[in-house]
Amino acid sequence: MRVTIAEVARRARVSKTTVSRVLNNKADVDAATAVRVREVIAATGYIPSAGAVGLARGVTRTVGMLVPGVTWPWMGEVLQGVADVLEAKGYGLLLSTASRGADSLDGFSRRVSAKAFDGLLLVEPPDAVRHLRVLHDSGLPVVMIDDRGRRPAFPSVGTDNRRGGAAAARHLLDTGRTRLATVTGPHGFGCTSDRLNGFHDGVREAGLALDPRLIIEGDFTSESGEAAILQLLATGPEFDAVFAHNDLTAAGVLAGLRKAGRAVPEDVAVIGFDDVPLAAHTQPPLTTIHQPLREMGESAARQLLAQLAGAPPPEAPVIVPTSLVVRESTGAPRTAG
Amino acid sequence: MRVTIAEVARRARVSKTTVSRVLNNKADVDAATAVRVREVIAATGYIPSAGAVGLARGVTRTVGMLVPGVTWPWMGEVLQGVADVLEAKGYGLLLSTASRGADSLDGFSRRVSAKAFDGLLLVEPPDAVRHLRVLHDSGLPVVMIDDRGRRPAFPSVGTDNRRGGAAAARHLLDTGRTRLATVTGPHGFGCTSDRLNGFHDGVREAGLALDPRLIIEGDFTSESGEAAILQLLATGPEFDAVFAHNDLTAAGVLAGLRKAGRAVPEDVAVIGFDDVPLAAHTQPPLTTIHQPLREMGESAARQLLAQLAGAPPPEAPVIVPTSLVVRESTGAPRTAG
DNA sequence: CTGAAAGCGCTTACAG
DNA sequence: CTGAAAGCGCTTACAG
């Protein structure tokens, strides 16, 4: 039999009101009474029912999180960052997946309407979500986590794709490369243009320019990286470095270069973007631009909690900076004979 | 202003009882009345408050899930499997992480006591969890997902590590290898001994035996794989194949062989275990024993839901079989000169 | 410092 | 077929 506040009150010979007061550390409770109540609580192992407290107070101390899917290699880090700060503050995390399309969104918006959580974290939300009427109507605090660089419809945290691209260019230039190629992400993604523009920035700062024939569009798969390199090798101008817009593409680039008999980093340097677990285990290990995924998760969760506490939502997106992780796929070029 | 059942009742000119009845599709409601109520529900966009329903009914339609951490490479698949079946059935998923140690477990057991969910999924639970008094006291339905092969304290789903080990041996033998080495997981893990025993089984079935000097203990890191190979190469007997107890270790084995100038698969074949995303991108791509992680998640979730529906917990662990994924790290050996 | 009562938004016997 | 009332387990004015 579950012990309730009524049972605690009975045993401590006080009213439920008083028990509630000591539970919530309100002032104005006689010290001796409080001690007695606490003893009963400890003895019975009483924990207030989350549901009942929620109904009475109108809050759930639970945060919803909608993610496109949870198998993406970088999702784990984001999730862990979120979970860490939420748990530290005693909040629950109600996870929803948009992997089943419209059905998922239906179920999800039901939960919104059912007030199953106090606030919401949206990771790279499908466009449909931004138009969910319930979200706007409900006045639910929302924070978006998005590295796609779209104009946010909600307060958001992202990373600095443009500076990351610039850092990639600088690193290649600094290590003696001169003819830089790029395999981009899909056209139309904000992060693709940001990373590419940043790469341009970095090259331009050095007083150089990118050869447009060395910019190939990929689609974030390793296949696209390999195909791009093979094409470049067959028909393009010479190059001594490749910036791939994500690590998977970079892995494909490495595979393509290997097939063609080009040594990395001696003949060609390769740099990726993301720093997923894979990056440390390619051959050679991949230099890459680290996305601060865990920090983004933490930051988003903290912001949401602040809003729940009454803080106004920040008007500008919060940006967590990228960083350069140097491994072995970049390094000194083969000394010209 | 949120619309409540009282508001719906008022607008439809019936009692809350009747609204509740049509909401829950009870029989014995006049057809015309039901239509009227449904119209009001549609017009107002009314959704019952999850908290209120939960309090009245005593269930939350939410399942808790405790995981050791969410950044492990194979966690995503398990989570996705769980999420898919839970969402399809309209259940919520309340995710908890044990990554902050005792603190996490405290917060977690509070939620158990607070009846924040109807049932619980435990992934490779820390030993502390199995002794949580609340779990036993609360009578909460629990299903464990564990590939560590420990004797389960709860109904559980696992995979067949032993058969997986045997399949690895068979594959190596079938492709012409004769001197098989192994880099195991840490001593004391149930899965380590299962995979090793299975490997023995496979070798024995062929009428052969394992050379004990070719069995090296690793710790599931790529470093341990590389170190093991280097040691074997330096001081051990000859070998032409390596079975690593997980893919990360196998990646280390590949790195060690490369440093030593041994070609894979020509000189040495390598097979891993798990089939994490990394496995498809090592050089060469890794043949491995696939763990059915997503299916394990699905199966566990389905079982838990069945228990919530009143089914008795299965007495024996449910086993989802592994499968062999052949890539390029195994294949024909160099023809003996 | 303390308690009786109303209320949070539902469901469920019970009575008609 | 329908509704008034009690109950789920808390919190919170309000009164003393």
Side-chain angles (χ1 to χ4, degrees):
Chain A
M1 200 54 235
R2 207 185 131 66
V3 16
T4 68
I5 197 175
E7 172 70 7
V8 173
R10 198 181 59 68
R11 295 209 199 185
R13 312 193 164 290
V14 294
S15 69
K16 295 187 297 176
T17 308
T18 295
V19 176
S20 175
R21 275 196 271 254
V22 348
L23 240 23
N24 298 292
N25 297 308
K26 307 267 187 202
D28 297 335
V29 178
D30 178 81
T33 312
V35 167
R36 186 153 35 96
V37 172
R38 270 187 243 281
E39 281 169 359
V40 174
I41 290 174
T44 54
Y46 169 67
I47 304 277
S49 148
V53 174
L55 183 56
R57 269 214 275 256
V59 302
T60 59
R61 282 192 79 82
T62 294
V63 164
M65 185 167 177
L66 181 68
V67 303
V70 90
T71 59
W72 303 18
W74 43 263
M75 202 60 187
E77 289 289 334
V78 175
L79 216 50
Q80 189 70 60
V82 168
D84 284 346
V85 350
L86 251 33
E87 286 172 13
K89 300 291 184 189
Y91 271 76
L93 173 59
L94 199 51
L95 187 67
S96 290
T97 278
S99 60
R100 294 173 314 118
D103 256 21
S104 306
L105 289 185
D106 273 15
F108 168 73
S109 59
R110 281 206 132 248
R111 284 186 184 277
V112 173
S113 305
K115 286 243 176 270
F117 35 75
D118 301 340
L120 183 59
L121 257 18
L122 247 31
V123 178
E124 295 209 348
D127 272 330
V129 173
R130 337 170 94 222
H131 305 303
L132 279 186
R133 266 196 54 213
V134 285
L135 279 188
H136 294 99
D137 293 359
S138 64
L140 192 74
V142 174
V143 174
M144 220 168 95
I145 302 174
D146 198 343
D147 73 336
R148 293 272 183 77
R150 297 176 294 189
R151 83 235 160 274
F154 301 105
S156 74
V157 1
T159 189
D160 199 331
N161 287 299
R162 185 156 187 165
R163 271 179 217 267
R170 260 193 312 272
H171 175 66
L172 293 175
L173 262 15
D174 286 353
T175 51
R177 309 291 165 168
T178 54
R179 302 223 19 101
L180 314 188
T182 315
V183 185
T184 73
H187 182 74
F189 277 49
C191 65
T192 293
S193 50
D194 286 350
R195 289 170 194 178
L196 187 55
N197 286 333
F199 200 59
H200 267 113
D201 294 346
V203 170
R204 204 176 299 122
E205 281 166 17
L208 303 171
L210 241 34
D211 182 338
R213 295 168 302 168
L214 288 175
I215 302 175
I216 309 279
E217 181 176 344
D219 62 6
F220 284 151
T221 65
S222 71
E223 287 74 21
S224 78
E226 180 166 344
I229 277 323
L230 264 19
Q231 173 193 333
L232 229 39
L233 251 17
T235 69
E238 271 302 304
F239 58 92
D240 59 7
V242 182
F243 168 41
H245 276 195
N246 76 346
D247 289 344
L248 224 46
T249 303
V253 167
L254 290 176
L257 289 168
R258 193 181 306 116
K259 282 196 184 162
R262 306 289 177 114
V264 176
E266 292 82 357
D267 297 328
V268 180
V270 177
I271 185 168
F273 205 109
D274 281 349
D275 196 21
V276 294
L278 166 68
H281 298 281
T282 55
Q283 174 51 28
L286 188 66
T287 293
T288 190
I289 303 296
H290 174 81
Q291 278 214 64
L293 299 168
R294 191 183 287 232
E295 291 81 359
M296 287 165 69
E298 289 171 354
S299 168
R302 262 195 300 269
Q303 251 179 76
L304 185 60
L305 257 24
Q307 284 186 49
L308 295 186
E315 63 286 344
V318 171
I319 300 298
V320 189
T322 57
S323 57
L324 172 69
V325 177
V326 178
R327 295 202 181 89
E328 298 167 29
S329 67
T330 57
R334 203 189 292 283
T335 316
Chain B
M1 202 53 234
R2 208 186 129 67
V3 15
T4 68
I5 197 174
E7 172 70 6
V8 173
R10 197 182 60 68
R11 295 209 200 186
R13 313 194 162 286
V14 294
S15 68
K16 295 187 298 177
T17 307
T18 295
V19 176
S20 175
R21 274 195 272 254
V22 347
L23 240 24
N24 299 292
N25 297 309
K26 307 268 186 198
D28 297 335
V29 177
D30 179 82
T33 311
V35 167
R36 187 153 34 95
V37 172
R38 270 187 243 281
E39 281 170 359
V40 175
I41 290 175
T44 54
Y46 169 68
I47 305 275
S49 148
V53 174
L55 183 56
R57 270 214 275 253
V59 301
T60 59
R61 283 191 78 82
T62 295
V63 164
M65 184 167 177
L66 181 69
V67 303
V70 89
T71 58
W72 303 17
W74 42 264
M75 202 67 211
E77 289 289 335
V78 176
L79 216 50
Q80 189 71 59
V82 168
D84 284 346
V85 350
L86 253 32
E87 286 173 15
K89 300 290 184 188
Y91 271 77
L93 173 59
L94 198 51
L95 187 67
S96 289
T97 278
S99 60
R100 293 171 315 118
D103 256 23
S104 307
L105 289 186
D106 273 16
F108 169 72
S109 58
R110 282 206 129 246
R111 285 187 183 277
V112 174
S113 306
K115 287 241 176 271
F117 35 74
D118 300 341
L120 183 60
L121 258 17
L122 247 30
V123 178
E124 295 209 345
D127 272 331
V129 173
R130 338 169 95 221
H131 305 303
L132 278 186
R133 265 196 54 214
V134 286
L135 279 187
H136 294 99
D137 293 359
S138 63
L140 192 73
V142 175
V143 174
M144 220 167 95
I145 303 174
D146 198 343
D147 73 335
R148 294 271 182 77
R150 296 175 295 188
R151 80 234 162 275
F154 301 105
S156 75
V157 2
T159 188
D160 198 332
N161 286 299
R162 184 156 189 164
R163 271 178 217 269
R170 258 191 315 270
H171 176 65
L172 294 175
L173 263 15
D174 286 353
T175 52
R177 309 291 166 169
T178 55
R179 303 224 17 102
L180 314 189
T182 315
V183 186
T184 73
H187 181 75
F189 277 48
C191 64
T192 293
S193 49
D194 286 350
R195 288 171 195 179
L196 187 56
N197 286 333
F199 200 59
H200 267 112
D201 293 347
V203 171
R204 205 176 298 124
E205 281 166 17
L208 302 171
L210 241 34
D211 182 339
R213 294 169 302 168
L214 287 175
I215 302 175
I216 308 280
E217 181 177 345
D219 62 5
F220 284 150
T221 64
S222 71
E223 287 74 21
S224 78
E226 180 166 344
I229 278 323
L230 265 17
Q231 172 193 333
L232 229 39
L233 252 15
T235 70
E238 271 303 304
F239 58 92
D240 60 6
V242 182
F243 169 40
H245 277 197
N246 76 345
D247 290 344
L248 225 45
T249 302
V253 167
L254 290 176
L257 289 168
R258 191 180 307 115
K259 282 195 183 161
R262 306 289 177 113
V264 176
E266 293 82 356
D267 298 327
V268 180
V270 178
I271 186 168
F273 206 109
D274 279 352
D275 197 22
V276 293
L278 167 69
H281 297 282
T282 55
Q283 173 51 28
L286 188 67
T287 293
T288 190
I289 303 297
H290 174 80
Q291 278 214 64
L293 299 168
R294 189 183 288 233
E295 292 81 358
M296 288 164 69
E298 290 171 354
S299 168
R302 262 194 300 268
Q303 249 178 76
L304 186 60
L305 256 25
Q307 283 186 50
L308 295 186
E315 62 286 344
V318 172
I319 300 299
V320 189
T322 56
S323 56
L324 172 69
V325 178
V326 179
R327 295 203 181 89
E328 298 168 29
S329 67
T330 57
R334 204 189 290 285
T335 316

